[in-house]
Amino acid sequence: MLPMWAIWLIVSGVFFLGEIFTISFLLFWPGVGAFLAFLTSLIVPENLVAQILIFVVSTIIMVLFTKPLVNKLFKNKDNTSMNNSAVLGKKGIIIKKIDNSNPVGQVKVNGELWSAIKSEKDKSINVGESVIIEKIDGVKLLVRKP
């Protein structure tokens, strides 16, 4: 059987690995708690109750006190939309022509370059023309003339 210090180290690693694949920043705290339990198991290897207590208490304390602090520090203060739907309905300028022979062009919206496809009703959209963003289709914007 594995020694307790190895088990705590594996548990900590699993939590940290899980944190890499999530965006919640919640698995980090039990990872730290498991690491603290690992350190405790090196100091008092025979006291499993102390190790579990360190894990549980440190995790609860970190979740209760540091999670709200992190949320406060990284809060979006100006309420700016942080997703791609922020460009819907906006005006853009065509940078690369879109027509039937070249179905994917480029449009500049809010200072960013996007791949763009034209709506069915437009025959072609030339460089420099203004467009309205109707929809996001994968990584391309569906645009139309105003």
Side-chain angles (χ1 to χ4, degrees):
M1 182 169 148
L2 287 174
M4 278 312 293
W5 66 265
I7 293 171
W8 284 117
L9 199 56
I10 290 168
V11 169
S12 179
V14 168
F15 278 120
F16 288 137
L17 218 94
E19 183 61 45
I20 291 171
F21 297 107
T22 64
I23 57 172
S24 67
F25 205 61
L26 189 60
L27 294 177
F28 181 76
W29 311 123
V32 172
F35 189 77
L36 292 174
F38 155 72
L39 294 176
T40 304
S41 72
L42 294 176
I43 297 167
V44 284
E46 68 286 342
N47 196 342
L48 182 61
V49 174
Q51 296 167 28
I52 293 172
L53 194 62
I54 291 289
F55 170 72
V56 171
V57 170
S58 63
T59 300
I60 289 171
I61 288 172
M62 286 184 282
V63 168
L64 291 178
F65 293 107
T66 56
K67 178 85 168 134
L69 178 65
V70 168
N71 287 342
K72 190 175 186 179
L73 289 174
F74 295 107
K75 184 178 178 188
N76 184 11
K77 293 179 178 95
D78 61 0
N79 293 326
T80 305
S81 180
M82 297 304 253
N83 56 24
N84 293 339
S85 63
V87 298
L88 292 176
K90 300 277 185 181
K91 282 190 175 184
I93 302 292
I94 295 296
I95 304 299
K96 183 179 174 189
K97 182 179 179 176
I98 310 171
D99 59 21
N100 290 336
S101 65
N102 189 23
V104 179
Q106 278 192 327
V107 63
K108 189 172 192 176
V109 183
N110 294 339
E112 297 178 341
L113 288 178
W114 288 78
S115 294
I117 53 177
K118 64 180 182 61
S119 69
E120 295 290 323
K121 63 182 178 181
D122 292 324
K123 292 182 181 172
S124 72
I125 307 175
N126 295 313
V127 173
E129 286 189 275
S130 290
V131 291
I132 304 290
I133 287 68
E134 287 189 329
K135 182 180 166 187
I136 300 174
D137 186 16
V139 293
K140 296 181 187 99
L141 300 179
L142 177 67
V143 299
R144 67 170 171 78
K145 291 182 183 179

